[in-house]
Amino acid sequence: VEYKVGDTVLLRPSELPDGPPYVATLEALYVSHIRSERSEARCKWFYRPEDTMFKGIAGSSAEVFASEHVDDQVPVGSIMGKCEVRFTSPSEPAPIAAADPATEPWFVCRLFYNHDKETLECRAG
């Protein structure tokens, strides 16, 4: 699989190998000369509701929240594959079907999560 800037991907969580994969958008791909020529990515994270204080707000297990949270040192080797995030209005109901990353890797995003303030926001577009 070839990855490029702008792809939305599933990432293997290093601290919980059996946990659900993280969801992020690739913002940059590069080779780190500081860390032994390791391929790394700059990723902008999506949050699952259960990873925030808003655990009960999700309309389905396919829901994620957009964020501005970015990490610059994500190992490219932790990418499990591509996925899709469908952006919808907060007034639209979340899909009932659960997202199964193994067979149907898609998610829905209706809200923005500010990880610094721990707040949810509605944002147009």
Side-chain angles (χ1 to χ4, degrees):
V1 176
E2 189 173 305
Y3 300 103
K4 63 185 185 314
V5 170
D7 285 345
T8 305
V9 296
L10 298 171
L11 294 149
R12 185 177 309 102
S14 59
E15 64 280 357
L16 290 171
D18 295 330
Y22 295 133
V23 181
T25 300
L26 298 177
E27 298 227 313
L29 296 163
Y30 56 92
V31 175
S32 172
H33 297 290
I34 297 169
R35 280 177 282 291
S36 305
E37 306 294 320
R38 183 174 86 169
S39 294
E40 294 183 335
R42 180 174 207 243
C43 293
K44 184 181 286 187
W45 299 106
F46 288 90
Y47 280 82
R48 294 177 187 271
E50 61 267 23
D51 295 329
T52 72
M53 62 185 291
F54 301 99
K55 293 174 178 59
I57 199 168
S60 89
S61 60
E63 185 145 19
V64 293
F65 304 140
S67 81
E68 293 294 334
H69 183 183
V70 175
D71 281 325
D72 288 321
Q73 301 170 355
V74 178
V76 169
S78 66
I79 298 174
M80 299 170 66
K82 293 182 183 183
C83 66
E84 178 185 355
V85 174
R86 301 170 187 171
F87 292 87
T88 65
S89 165
S91 62
E92 292 182 36
I96 295 172
D100 180 359
T103 61
E104 194 175 355
W106 64 269
F107 300 87
V108 64
C109 180
R110 300 182 299 160
L111 296 166
F112 177 86
Y113 177 67
N114 183 321
H115 75 284
D116 290 323
K117 296 179 182 178
E118 294 188 334
T119 58
L120 283 179
E121 304 168 10
C122 295
R123 290 195 174 177

